[in-house]
Amino acid sequence: MSPREEGSESEAQGEIGKASATAPANIAFIKYWGALDLNRALPENPSISMTLTSCLTHTTVEYTRGEAEEDEVFLVSPNGELSPAPSPFAGPVLRHLNEIRQALGERAGLGVEEGTEGGGHFRVATRNTFPSAAGMASSASGFSALAVAAVRALGLELSIEELSRLARRSGSGSAARSVMGGYVEWPRGNGENESHAFTLAEAEHWDLRDVVAVVETAPKEVSSREGHRRARTSPYYPRRQELLAGRLEAVRRAIADRDFDHLGPVIEEEAVDLHLIAMSSDPPIFYWGPATVAVLAELRRLRRQGLAAWATMDAGANVHVICQPHDEAALAAHLQALPGVVGVIRDRVGHGPETDVPHLF
Ligand code: PMV
């Protein structure tokens, strides 16, 4: 039975609906770093990413009238038990639920008083399929799964562009790219209605792999939100903006032509620039650890030996190494053997959110 059918069945018991979704993380080749409007997550520069397969968030959303007094957020343990999410986790989820309510309330026929006392409320349960202790960014997959499941729980169907905008309104802009699969571009923000991502190429177009060298498992000290805010204080920020047009074009062309030799150097240079800007922001942000540098050195050594693998890093110390399928196993073995690498996650380009998945409660 699909979540949709189950939703309408439960309507008879006073619920509007219940739906579940999984959504994957994505890894950016050209990064979102610096915002025109941070609160609305309108980016200053276009970004391009690859949607992943294995690093997923699985979320169930139920919208009920009259039962709960407020929206509720639960985390689901590996053995399936629900526990109330701690407030640092629940806060952004509750804010996003309010955004969703504002954006869709009228269309879903919720009425103005919904979400206030006596109105309807969301109940959300969520879990990551990748080790949450792996220090992997989960906000893109998390807010994308939340948007997809909430829309269905409200009985609505949105275009992919609307879904992308809705995920972006979480404040984690990169979630705008996780609602679709394959290779995705998210343009510079112009206005509220224009800031949504679009597909550059489907996953089938090019089978690329992402071997993540996990070197840090603790949460990062400075959030990406704060990183976006400080980016403009770096003297190198304007220079990166000048270089980006060429880089974007090179990445678009490399994806269209499945040209790994041209893709690799650009994505590594771009990631290093993000960190250069972070390190030269005021106050500076150092996301790298010693093992980050060790992984980058190992990649240079492997490339000299003919193994084509290139790094990209988000706002953290872990290194995503992009490679072609025939190099994945050898690359993973090399990375795993490095001191400071606590684990390796092997992921690949994927198809985006799924809705035909089990409910978590
Ligand atoms: O979506 P946010 O606000 O968490 O920012 C994402 C920032 C990076 O992951 C570093 C880059 C990106 O484009 O994914």
Side-chain angles (χ1 to χ4, degrees), residues 148-218:
V148 172
V151 163
R152 292 172 67 89
L154 293 175
L156 297 173
E157 293 213 17
L158 260 54
S159 68
I160 195 76
E161 291 82 12
E162 287 178 298
L163 262 180
S164 174
R165 276 202 296 271
L166 194 63
R168 193 207 82 227
R169 284 178 65 161
S170 64
S172 171
S174 55
R177 299 187 308 241
S178 265
V179 299
M180 52 197 91
Y183 298 88
V184 177
E185 177 160 346
W186 177 31
R188 176 185 154 91
N190 290 321
E192 177 65 18
N193 288 334
E194 278 158 70
S195 192
H196 61 76
F198 62 89
T199 306
L200 282 176
E202 301 293 343
E204 290 74 22
H205 171 72
W206 198 11
D207 183 5
L208 284 185
R209 305 294 164 92
D210 177 8
V211 180
V212 189
V214 179
V215 303
E216 175 65 74
T217 57

Side-chain angles (χ1 to χ4, degrees), residues 141-153:
S141 56
F143 288 116
S144 167
L146 183 65
V148 172
V151 163
R152 292 172 67 89

